[in-house]
Every structure is written in structure tokens, then in C-alpha cells.
Amino acid sequence: MTGILDAHIPGGPMEKKWDLHKFESKLINPANKRKFEIIIVGSGLAGASAAATLAELGFRVKCFCYQDSPRRAHSIAAQGGINAAKNYQNDGDSVFRLFYDTVKGGDFRSREANVYRLAQVSAAIIDQCVAQGVPFAREYGGLLANRSFGGAQVSRTFYARGQTGQQLLLGAYGALCKQIEARNVQMFPRTEMLDLVVVDGHAKGIVVRDMVSGKISSHAGDTVVLATGGYGNVFYLSTNAKGCNVTATYRAYRKGAFFANPCYTQIHPTCIPVTGEYQSKLTLMSESLRNDGRVWAPKKQHDKRPPGQIPEDERDYYLERKYPSFGNLAPRDISSRAAKQVCDEGRGVGDTGLGVYLDFADAITRLGVETIRERYGNLFDMYEKITNEDAYKLPMRIFPAVHYTMGGLWVDYNLMSNLPGLHVLGEANFSDHGANRLGASALMQGLADGYFVLPATIGNYLATQAGKKVKPDAPEFKQAEEDVHNRTRRLLGIRGKKTVDHFHRELGILMWEKAGMARNETGLREALKRIPQLREEFWENVNVLGENENLNQSLEKAGRVADFLNFAELLCYDALNRRESCGGHFREEFQTPDGEAVRNDEEFANVSAWECVPNGGPPQLHKEPLEFECCHLATRSYK
């Protein structure tokens, strides 16, 4: 059975929807705001900005993160920049162009109203961050600098060298610290959410574990906000921090929140290639490098000559050849598949043959090494530390890797899930990027949701909750705590013979091979057969060392991998059901003769939102039809 979802998109012209909606949204007066307590899980850009802004407005906020400080959230890893429709370059940018580029970049699988709102508030994000002291790069005269990113023909990306995410997070962290000092925010570091508590059909609290003492406790609130990032580590090797996981959103899914488009996984084209089985993660090389770096591979198969010995006429600058309008700044999904195709043809470089070159020789000749050093110096330093190669003298070797997830919990226009009281921000929701995220848009969405969208819309729910307080001694909390205790005792009691990492690595290999950069029906069915077997082996033979009553990273990892083993099945169900290729979801059965994606708009111009079936059966599919009134459906082309 398929249900139809209502996103509660406001009426009116696209450019007026957000302003009208804000005016019509319910307000809560300052005296009443102090009566509401908001639980926020996650302290990256989305979580920290939301916590700081809501506290500034007068709400009481509890913010939880599993890191030892909000400053260590994975948002710091973002390198290249943040998009905004400022049109400082006078090169034709506008709110509408940013909106259109994002919808097209997502292969027409995102919700227009949300994306237009994102483009509208983008300029205010830059103003906010500049006021906080974020050190964006500037031109010689002092004006903010911009550079280009994939999928756009204008320069709209603001940046702080290769540390943009870190600098933006420090700005949000400073605002958060102000509210912590004012006692408007109560911060809970080293605390992991392990379950969502639902009372009378509304999300009203969470169960957490203190990661130092092992104490399991409950926290009640008037609403719960999840800002916990994506699920890319289901593939084991990714550019994500090792701690990134799916537990919070998967626990919410088990309690009734719909999980939307889980098959939409972004493969980033410029990552340092895998060098051995010992690796636990991969390292991103910012997409900004493709402004000045040229991507190429040898024309001959199995050409093992050093790059400097391969003449120009024996090099294939394949992105410039295949996509002349965008060249090296083709979108991530297209650039990644092009690199895979080159390597599948036997033209890959490096010892493994899984790599292509990102070459700065032309840019250094044209601009000088010091200019390149000013623009990208810390990225070049990082590359040298990892590979022991000097990218000023030799081309970088890059290969695609799992980076970001466009799927997430389903939310409506107010950023509330189908489960009343559960709001979801940033990468943890599905709403803005469709089937492929354009570069420099993740930071934009996280800060838009936290600084501007949720503070304007959360009142619509809270205004209905006056006088409906719940306490953490309610039976629903006690039951959720007991479920967490039982799960913890079960994990510690198995005492098998294989490590948690063994199962995580095996799952990751399976997912990369069967549901990674390219999928097909045979491989997905094989994965759906193997995942339950692997899950059964995990619960029979995993060895989780230590105990619960103290710091236990083995236990932390075990709980997260257990959720990955369940979530992986959902991802494959979604990929099997979506019989088309779009963005990062590439079904090999649906492609043109020259390898481009073929969408099926007649059947799949919709959001696939999955409901957990309590008895353990296959998930139930719900659909939200996608309507395109401004960006008319068209074949996506960057040629």
C-alpha cells in the first residue's frame, strides 16, 4: 500500500511563499517562550545555529552531542565553501539562478518550495556569518571573494581557504557559547542519543547514554530537533568522520518517522584514493581545486609512465571533452561516474589503477605558484602529509568516494517530520538536494535551517502544545530506557569471536559493490539476501569488549554498526524500487548509450518515504508527488 504525503507547502507565487508563510505562522510571546523546552540532538552547523538562535529568542534549550565539544562536530571537515546568491561578481547570478541550479543539480528530485526558500535566505547567511567574524576570503580591496563550484557557471561560493566548515562552525559555536553562558542552553557533550520517546503520538524526549560513565537517562521536552548528519558510513569507507552514524535518525524511523530517499548517496569525485585494507576512512580534496586543477587520465590502457612523461597529446582531459560547457566543474555525480568509466576502461593511474590525475601545472604557469598556494595551500599540505607527494610538482591522484547523503527523514515545509513534534535539520533531513547535492550547498542548508527556517516555523507546533508537558518519569520513557538497557546488555553478552570493525568492513564492501556508485537489480537483490545473514552473524558472533559502566568505544561502535546493518537493508529496498537513474542513484539498466542517467519522470517524480513496519516485515512506501511550476522537467545536460 502506498500513502500520499502532504508537505504543507504554502500557496501563492514561488517568490512569495516564504514571506507569506512567515507572516501566517503562529507566534509565541516572549513570556511564553520561556515555558517551552527544546531538545536538540547534534551540534554541527545545523544544530549549533538552531540552539543558539532559539535560545536567543527566549526558548530553553538542551543540546546534546557525542563529541567532547561542539567544536568537533563533523561540519569542521567541510573545505571548499558556502553558496549564496549575492551576485558580487556581477556575472548573472540571482536567487532564481541559485534555485534553478540546485533543482537541476538534484536531477529534478527535490521539492521546489524548499529549494527556493534556501536560495532566498542564502544571502542573509553570509551577512550573519560576517557579523560573527567568520574570516571569509577577500579581494585586495576588502570585498568578499567568490569562486566557482560544480554545476554552476557563476561564482557564488564564499570560502575561508580550505577551512570553510571549521570557520563557520566556530561562528555558530561562539553564538552557542554566549547562550550557554547566559544559561539559556544546557549543553550535554559526550552524550549519545539511543532512542526517541513518543508520547500520545508526539515526539517528546530522548533516551541518552553518558559516554564516560555509561549512565542511561531520559530527557523530556516540548519538541525534539534532530541535526545529526548523514549515514555515509554505512559504506564503511567514506569521507565522514569515524563517529558519524545513522543511529538517531534510524531510531526515529523505528518510532514512526518516515525515512525519505535513503538510496540517494553522493559520491564525491575528488578524494585521495584507497591505498590498502588497513584504512578506516578516506580524505576529501575540496571541489574548489577543480577551479584551477585539470582532471585527466592517459589515453592508453595500463599506462604506468610517470605523469610528467606522458605528452599532452596522449592525455585525455575527459571532463573537458565530454562536458565542454562546464568542463572540470561538472557536478559531482557526473564527474564521479566519468572517473569510474575511465578506470573501468583500464586507464586509471596509481598502483591500484583506481585513480585519475588532478593537475595544476597549467594554473601554476598562468598564475604562479604563490597564487595557488594562497588559494589552496592547506589542501596541498594535507595531500602531501597523506601521500608524501608534492602536488605543486606532481598532479594529485584522486578517485570518487562516498561523501554526503541526500536522503534523510521526511520533513514538511516547516521541517517537521510526519511524526508530530520531531523536527529534522541539515543533512539529517531529505528536503533540499534531490538526487545530487551541488558543491558548497551543505553548509548553506545547515545554516539556513538552523539560523532562519526552524526559528520561524517551530512556533506552528509549539503553539499547539501549551499545557501538554510530559515528564521523564512517564511510562513511555521508562519503557524506552528499558529497551536501551536490554539492547546494551545483549551486545555485551554475546562474547563472540569477531570484532565490530570486521562486520562494519564486510557490510561496507557489500554496499559499495552492490549499492555504491552504480547499482543494478541483480546486485541489489544479492545485497538484500546477504544483509540479513550478516546481521544474524553479528548478533551471534560479535565480540564487544568491556562493560557499560565506563568509557567503552567498542560498545559505542557496536550499537552504531547494529543500526547500519538494519539501515543498509532499507537503502537497498529504496534503490531497488526506484527503477530509474537520477543524480547519485545510478541504475545501470537505465542509461543512454554514452552512459548518461535516464530518469523516469512518469513513475518516479516523487519522494519515496518509507515507514517502518513493527513486525519486521518489508517497509511500507509512501510517496510525495513532486510538482515543478518554475523549473520544468528537462533532460539534465552539462555538455
Side-chain angles (χ1 to χ4, degrees):
M1 178 181 285
T2 299
I4 302 298
L5 290 167
D6 182 0
H8 304 116
I9 298 171
M14 187 65 69
E15 66 273 12
K16 295 183 179 180
K17 288 182 187 294
W18 177 230
D19 289 337
L20 289 172
H21 186 68
K22 284 191 293 182
F23 177 75
E24 294 170 355
S25 291
K26 295 177 181 178
L27 298 176
I28 299 172
N29 76 55
N32 286 338
K33 285 176 182 174
R34 293 192 291 270
K35 300 175 183 178
F36 290 106
E37 186 159 87
I38 299 171
I39 290 174
I40 297 179
V41 185
S43 63
L45 285 179
S49 60
T53 307
L54 292 169
E56 186 80 45
L57 288 172
F59 295 104
R60 291 182 293 119
V61 177
K62 286 184 176 180
C63 186
F64 299 80
C65 69
Y66 65 73
Q67 297 92 352
D68 55 4
S69 164
R71 289 181 60 176
R72 294 179 66 84
H74 185 58
S75 297
I76 67 166
Q79 297 171 350
I82 176 171
N83 287 331
K86 285 281 197 181
N87 194 31
Y88 281 172
Q89 308 299 314
N90 195 28
D91 56 1
D93 201 11
S94 63
V95 167
F96 190 88
R97 190 176 296 279
L98 174 53
F99 158 65
Y100 181 79
D101 286 348
T102 305
V103 172
K104 177 184 175 183
D107 218 348
F108 298 90
R109 290 295 177 262
S110 50
R111 186 191 291 155
E112 272 196 338
N114 285 64
V115 179
Y116 195 92
R117 175 175 65 187
L118 178 65
Q120 281 179 295
V121 304
S122 65
I125 296 171
I126 304 303
D127 296 339
Q128 170 93 356
C129 295
V130 169
Q132 290 173 336
V134 172
F136 287 120
R138 294 178 181 268
E139 303 288 359
Y140 180 77
L143 298 177
L144 295 179
N146 289 125
R147 57 190 178 197
S148 299
F149 258 62
Q153 291 180 308
V154 297
S155 296
R156 64 163 66 102
T157 304
F158 296 78
Y159 62 98
R161 296 191 75 181
Q163 307 170 0
T164 312
Q166 180 176 356
Q167 298 301 330
L168 291 172
L169 185 62
L170 288 173
Y173 175 67
L176 177 61
C177 286
K178 175 187 174 184
Q179 297 305 318
I180 295 172
E181 174 67 20
R183 300 186 180 180
N184 297 327
V185 174
Q186 190 177 0
M187 193 72 215
F188 294 85
R190 304 300 295 273
T191 306
E192 183 166 25
M193 171 186 161
L194 295 181
D195 211 348
L196 179 73
V197 181
V198 178
V199 180
D200 296 331
H202 290 246
K204 289 296 181 182
I206 59 175
V207 176
V208 300
R209 177 179 181 269
D210 185 308
M211 295 164 64
V212 177
S213 69
K215 180 182 178 182
I216 293 170
S217 60
S218 294
H219 295 264
D222 294 286
T223 186
V224 176
V225 178
L226 298 186
T228 52
Y231 47 84
N233 277 346
V234 70
F235 293 89
Y236 187 68
L237 287 179
S238 80
T239 66
N240 290 193
K242 285 297 291 178
C244 294
N245 63 83
V246 76
T247 290
T249 48
Y250 186 76
R251 296 285 109 200
Y253 164 74
R254 292 293 298 267
K255 287 297 179 73
F258 295 170
F259 215 113
N261 301 335
C263 77
Y264 288 166
T265 306
Q266 179 169 83
I267 313 296
H268 198 293
T270 50
C271 300
I272 298 178
V274 177
T275 56
E277 293 184 359
Y278 61 87
Q279 279 187 257
S280 60
K281 74 176 301 295
L282 297 172
T283 302
L284 174 71
M285 287 286 102
S286 169
E287 183 174 306
S288 63
L289 293 168
R290 291 195 279 147
N291 273 283
D292 290 307
R294 300 179 68 193
V295 180
W296 64 276
K299 290 182 178 179
K300 296 179 181 178
Q301 290 183 325
H302 313 297
D303 191 336
K304 296 301 181 182
R305 289 177 293 175
Q309 296 180 14
I310 300 177
E312 277 290 314
D313 61 357
E314 295 183 31
R315 300 180 179 189
D316 180 15
Y317 294 91
Y318 58 87
L319 289 178
E320 299 172 29
R321 170 175 57 82
K322 296 177 69 173
Y323 309 103
S325 293
F326 284 75
N328 295 296
L329 286 174
R332 292 176 176 180
D333 57 328
I334 290 172
S335 301
S336 294
R337 285 197 297 274
K340 180 181 184 297
Q341 183 179 11
V342 164
C343 295
D344 288 346
E345 293 170 357
R347 298 193 288 125
V349 302
D351 294 337
T352 64
L354 297 176
V356 295
Y357 289 126
L358 181 60
D359 196 334
F360 291 85
D362 285 356
I364 289 173
T365 300
R366 184 178 74 255
L367 302 171
V369 68
E370 286 307 315
T371 298
I372 299 301
R373 197 185 309 277
E374 289 173 3
R375 292 178 178 177
Y376 314 109
N378 59 317
L379 298 172
F380 277 60
D381 293 344
M382 184 166 62
Y383 181 83
E384 185 172 12
K385 287 180 180 179
I386 293 172
T387 65
N388 198 32
E389 294 178 5
D390 184 349
Y392 295 107
K393 299 177 180 177
L394 294 172
M396 289 183 179
R397 288 176 294 106
I398 57 170
F399 191 70
V402 173
H403 177 58
Y404 186 89
T405 52
M406 287 73 67
L409 294 184
W410 184 88
V411 291
D412 65 9
Y413 193 73
N414 290 324
L415 300 185
M416 188 165 75
S417 77
N418 64 290
L419 184 61
L422 180 67
H423 295 82
V424 192
L425 311 185
E427 191 179 0
N429 77 33
F430 86 99
S431 64
D432 290 13
H433 305 301
N436 173 62
R437 177 177 69 79
L438 291 185
S441 288
L443 307 184
M444 177 173 60
Q445 187 208 350
L447 292 180
D449 287 356
Y451 280 139
F452 300 108
V453 180
L454 185 69
T457 61
I458 199 169
N460 289 308
Y461 175 75
L462 292 177
T464 68
Q465 298 303 298
K468 298 181 180 180
K469 291 283 185 184
V470 298
K471 295 183 179 180
D473 59 357
E476 291 87 351
F477 284 88
K478 296 301 180 184
Q479 182 59 57
E481 277 192 38
E482 185 59 27
D483 291 343
V484 170
H485 276 293
N486 290 339
R487 181 180 171 89
T488 302
R489 285 192 287 265
R490 185 183 176 192
L491 285 168
L492 290 169
I494 298 170
R495 297 300 182 188
K497 296 181 179 179
K498 294 184 178 179
T499 66
V500 175
D501 283 340
H502 166 84
F503 288 100
H504 194 181
R505 185 179 291 108
E506 187 167 344
L507 174 66
I509 293 171
L510 176 70
M511 293 298 290
W512 178 250
E513 291 179 349
K514 307 300 182 183
M517 208 181 325
R519 300 106 183 251
N520 58 58
E521 182 170 349
T522 300
L524 290 167
R525 292 193 182 280
E526 291 174 358
L528 285 169
K529 181 179 180 180
R530 176 58 182 144
I531 291 169
Q533 297 171 350
L534 188 60
R535 185 166 60 236
E536 184 177 352
E537 292 172 20
F538 173 88
W539 285 105
E540 290 179 353
N541 201 26
V542 72
N543 185 14
V544 183
L545 301 174
E547 55 190 12
N548 179 52
E549 285 70 30
N550 52 34
L551 179 66
N552 188 340
Q553 291 186 320
S554 182
L555 176 60
E556 295 164 20
K557 288 195 293 184
R560 296 166 187 169
V561 172
D563 287 327
F564 278 137
L565 284 163
N566 287 309
F567 173 75
E569 198 168 24
L570 178 64
L571 190 157
C572 291
Y573 269 120
D574 189 43
L576 184 63
N577 173 77
R578 187 167 284 277
R579 296 181 57 79
E580 66 168 353
S581 290
C582 57
H585 168 65
F586 191 75
R587 284 284 297 268
E588 293 176 337
E589 303 96 321
F590 307 102
Q591 59 178 303
T592 63
D594 58 348
E596 302 295 336
V598 174
R599 296 197 319 263
N600 181 350
D601 294 332
E602 185 174 338
E603 295 184 67
F604 294 105
N606 57 60
V607 177
S608 295
W610 297 89
E611 177 183 4
C612 181
V613 176
N615 62 10
Q620 181 177 347
L621 176 63
H622 300 261
K623 293 182 179 180
E624 177 199 336
L626 294 171
E627 299 178 1
F628 296 91
E629 58 182 272
C630 296
C631 303
H632 300 295
L633 288 165
T635 300
R636 182 173 173 236
S637 176
Y638 293 92
K639 293 186 175 180

